Each structure stands twice: as C-alpha cells, then as structure tokens.
Amino acid sequence: MPESDSPQRQTPDSLMLYGFWYRVLPSGQVSGNRLQKAVLLETPLVIGRDRQGLPFALHDACPHRGMPLSFGWLDGQQVECCYHGWRFDAHTGQCQLIPSLTADQKLRVDRIYAGSYPCEEHDDYVWVYIPEPAPVGAGFTKAADSPFPVPRVPIFSEKYKMAHLTADLPCSVDHGIIGLMDPAHGPFVHQAWWWRKRESIHEKQKSFEPIPDGFRMSAHTPSSNSAPYKLLRLYANADSITTTIDFVLPNLRLETIRAGKYWFSSLTTVTPVTRDHCRIDVVAAWNLFRWVPFGSELLKFVFAKFVRQDQQTMEKQSEGLKHHPHLMLIDDADRPAKWYFQLKAAHLEAKRTGGEMKHPLPGPVTLKWRS
Ligand code: FES
Ligand SMILES: [Fe+2]
C-alpha cells in the first residue's frame, strides 16, 4: 500500500488474527469449581481451574450433542456435561466416561475429545491460545500446542506492584486498536486539571522504528506539558526519562517508562471477542511510589480515568460506525493506524504464501503532529 499525502480512505476489515495468545479473563474471575463462560474471536469457551489451581480452557460445546459444557459440573479434574453426563478431562478434553454405555459396548471413549486450548496464567490474567479454526476431525483431535510463549508485562526490579483494569468496547478490534494508538485525541478526550488542558496543544515529533511484527516509538523525556511527568523527574532525581511504546501484532501495546532506578510498565491488549465487540485490558507494574501510602491507588485512579474516557468515546463513536460511514486516515497523526493495517495485511499474506513477512516500515521514521 503506497503512502500518500492525501487522506486515505480506509475501512477496518475487522479480520481477527488466529494463532496468537489472548487474554481471556482476569485471574480473579476464575475460582473454585465454577465454570466460567467466555468468548474469544467468536469462539465459545469454558474456563475453570483444576484442584491444583491450574486454569484450563475447553470449547464450550459438548462433542456429543453440542450442549455448552459451562452448564455442567467440575469436580476439580473432570468436566461433566449436564445433558447425558459424558465426562472430559479438564485439560486435554479427552473423554473419560459415557454413562449410557453397557459393559459389552466397545465404543473407544478415549478417542473422543472435547475441544481444548492451551491455557496459562500470567500477570493477573488467564490467557488462551487460539489456533486457526480446526477444519476436520473436531471431536477426535487433541489441542494444538502454542508455538510461542505468553506475552508478559516487562519487570525491571525484584519488588514492584501490579494492578489491572478492564473495559468492554462496543466496536471491532480494529477500532479498539487504532483508538489506542491515536495520538491526536489526547487534548480533546483526556482533559483533566491535573493532566493537561486543551490549550496546551503543541507540535510534537516522535521517532518510530520497525520491530518484529510491530513498531516502536522511542523518546527521551516525554510530554513536558503534563504535571505528572514534571513530578516524576523531580521525584526520581533523574536527568532523563525514557519512554518506549511498542505495538506488536496482534493486539499488544507495551509501554515502559524509566527514570533512574524507577520504572513503570504496562501491557495493554485489545482482544477481539466478536466481530463488533472487543475488550481492553491494561496490566501495569511499577516500583514508583511503592511505599507512599495511596501511591498505587493514585496510579490506578489515573489509569482508570484514562481508560474510562477512551471507553466513553468509543461508545459514542460506535453509534456513528453502525451506519458504516466512509473513514479516512491522515498523515502523520494516523500513520501508526495505517501501519497497523499494513502489518496485519503483511502477516496474513506471509501466512498465505508461507514466506517471510514483509515489514511495512523500511527503517526509522519521524512523524510530526500537534497534540
Ligand atoms: S450433549 Fe453432552 S453428554 Fe450429551
Ligand atoms: Fe486515549
């Protein structure tokens, strides 16, 4: 796709990317013997924990007659379907028992599987790996292995605090993601007396560089027009503050702020639930203000406020998007959004051809905008 100075008409295609790890639920929502329903990429899932506390993810449909397994029961090891009592191993999905079989009926129960997915727990969340939709053999296939590890929140010291928050967005994953990387909405959406005023809008210049499956914005000394950064510089007694923000396919935004021995990092994901619904989850970790009473409450408050503002904005936007308007992306402020669509297209193309992914950024680029 060629870059041009004219506004580019572009409609998000809302394609969801399979073959990645996705956050499915905050850890706290999966407890005891409860079977929790969840949806990722329009795939119905049932999430639970075994007796040891290890999470599992099964396809939420019994391979017998399709009853959602989430209506059944968990005994800490096996999930029992509520319809005819078939039992499945919670992790492998392998069938363990079919109560209706008589002693002389020789059906090989162990060859039957409820769909299961790789499932791990990290940094306050349960993650599930969603492979390409299985074409054949459903009901008789084991779970695919995940080819790479779960993305983690970057940590830079032994002691730190961690917090998370989550917000549902009534829009496609594409709108959720480009909303997240859009630099021009700040002065209009994120106003607060303690952050910045709309009048503080000014020209900015940021350097970007390609990284595998994504791009990085790197900066020394971020936005001087915000009070919290001024405070941070004072507090950390550091000459320079460095910030990097990475975007990595399919949906990861990693932010790291370092000032001397202090650091703050976050991993934000925008998860496709269905075609027109996504969820934003932010997990932040920091060693700043660790011993200051209310320090972490304050950070959570600031974060929650920003995410709430974005959520409310996207709720309003979704009213407009219902009518499928033509959209345009302009340079330079919307260039990261263009890169996102190009990365996604390049990823799908590489997958189709089996070749190397062609990165849309040939090298470092400087972008300018006012915000
Ligand atoms: S539908 Fe699950 S046991 Fe029959
Ligand atoms: Fe925002």
Side-chain angles (χ1 to χ4, degrees):
M1 224 182 297
E3 300 281 349
S4 78
D5 287 341
S6 61
Q8 197 171 318
R9 286 199 181 278
Q10 198 144 20
T11 313
D13 52 21
S14 310
L15 274 179
M16 301 179 286
L17 297 182
Y18 295 87
F20 288 101
W21 284 98
Y22 288 100
R23 277 176 175 148
V24 64
L25 289 169
S27 294
Q29 285 183 26
V30 189
S31 64
N33 277 350
R34 206 169 58 210
L35 291 170
Q36 191 76 43
K37 269 180 182 293
V39 176
L40 282 180
L41 289 75
E42 303 201 325
T43 308
L45 301 169
V46 52
I47 311 292
R49 284 182 194 281
D50 66 14
R51 207 167 278 130
Q52 281 76 45
L54 286 176
F56 62 83
L58 296 175
H59 197 71
D60 197 15
C62 179
H64 179 216
R65 299 249 309 278
M67 176 62 76
L69 291 172
S70 52
F71 290 127
W73 299 275
L74 169 68
D75 66 0
Q77 197 175 343
Q78 295 176 0
V79 174
E80 183 181 283
C81 179
C82 72
Y83 204 170
H84 313 93
W86 291 22
R87 297 179 71 102
F88 305 93
D89 180 277
H91 288 283
T92 63
Q94 188 177 41
C95 189
Q96 309 290 312
L97 176 77
I98 296 181
S100 67
L101 291 177
T102 61
D104 59 333
Q105 288 170 343
K106 295 287 176 251
L107 178 69
R108 289 276 309 275
V109 167
D110 59 339
R111 289 188 54 223
I112 298 171
Y113 283 85
S116 70
Y117 300 85
C119 182
E120 286 184 27
E121 186 168 21
H122 296 287
D123 305 330
D124 292 354
Y125 270 84
V126 175
W127 292 71
V128 171
Y129 177 80
I130 303 289
E132 294 294 329
V136 282
F140 295 99
T141 41
K142 294 184 200 174
D145 273 336
S146 65
F148 40 79
V150 172
R152 301 291 304 268
V153 181
I155 300 299
F156 303 96
S157 60
E158 221 166 272
K159 290 191 174 158
Y160 58 87
K161 292 210 164 179
M162 188 173 268
H164 72 267
L165 61 106
T166 177
D168 286 306
L169 303 178
C171 60
S172 73
V173 67
D174 287 346
H175 278 295
I177 285 175
I178 67 176
L180 194 71
M181 56 176 59
D182 158 24
H185 74 288
F188 302 91
V189 172
H190 300 300
Q191 295 176 42
W193 63 265
W194 41 264
W195 182 251
R196 56 175 301 170
K197 291 194 186 62
R198 183 167 165 171
E199 295 71 43
S200 69
I201 191 165
H202 66 282
E203 189 168 313
K204 285 181 188 153
Q205 182 168 321
K206 299 269 153 104
S207 351
F208 290 81
E209 59 186 299
I211 56 173
D213 281 343
F215 52 88
R216 167 171 296 169
M217 186 187 93
S218 40
H220 301 273
T221 317
S223 297
S224 47
N225 55 359
S226 69
Y229 278 129
K230 284 182 197 153
L231 200 69
L232 173 64
R233 201 173 302 133
L234 214 66
Y235 168 81
N237 194 17
D239 289 340
S240 84
I241 304 173
T242 56
T243 331
T244 60
I245 300 176
D246 290 355
F247 174 78
V248 181
L249 283 181
N251 67 342
L252 312 169
R253 180 191 191 271
L254 281 140
E255 176 164 10
T256 307
I257 302 172
R258 303 195 70 171
K261 64 180 177 179
Y262 297 106
W263 57 271
F264 171 91
S265 71
S266 64
L267 172 59
T268 303
T269 51
V270 182
T271 302
V273 177
T274 59
R275 226 148 238 292
D276 47 21
H277 199 101
C278 63
R279 201 188 58 241
I280 182 166
D281 295 289
V282 186
V283 177
W286 64 89
N287 73 345
L288 286 159
F289 306 118
R290 221 165 35 84
W291 54 92
V292 180
F294 312 119
S296 61
E297 298 311 309
L298 191 73
L299 264 172
K300 272 189 246 179
F301 167 80
V302 171
F303 244 63
K305 170 134 185 157
F306 280 173
V307 170
R308 183 78 198 121
Q309 286 170 334
D310 283 330
Q311 185 186 31
Q312 284 168 339
T313 303
M314 289 182 199
E315 278 164 6
K316 291 178 193 158
Q317 186 193 15
S318 73
E319 284 190 32
L321 294 176
K322 263 187 229 151
H323 310 289
H324 309 289
H326 282 292
L327 308 173
M328 59 174 80
L329 296 173
I330 64 161
D331 284 326
D332 282 354
D334 294 328
R335 191 83 70 84
K338 292 184 187 178
W339 291 336
Y340 165 65
F341 288 114
Q342 291 164 358
L343 276 166
K344 211 171 155 183
H347 169 81
L348 290 169
E349 179 63 10
K351 229 166 155 181
R352 198 180 60 79
T353 60
E356 281 266 300
M357 176 169 148
K358 250 192 99 220
H359 203 293
L361 273 86
V365 188
T366 301
L367 301 184
K368 294 203 299 184
W369 63 76
R370 281 166 49 80
S371 69

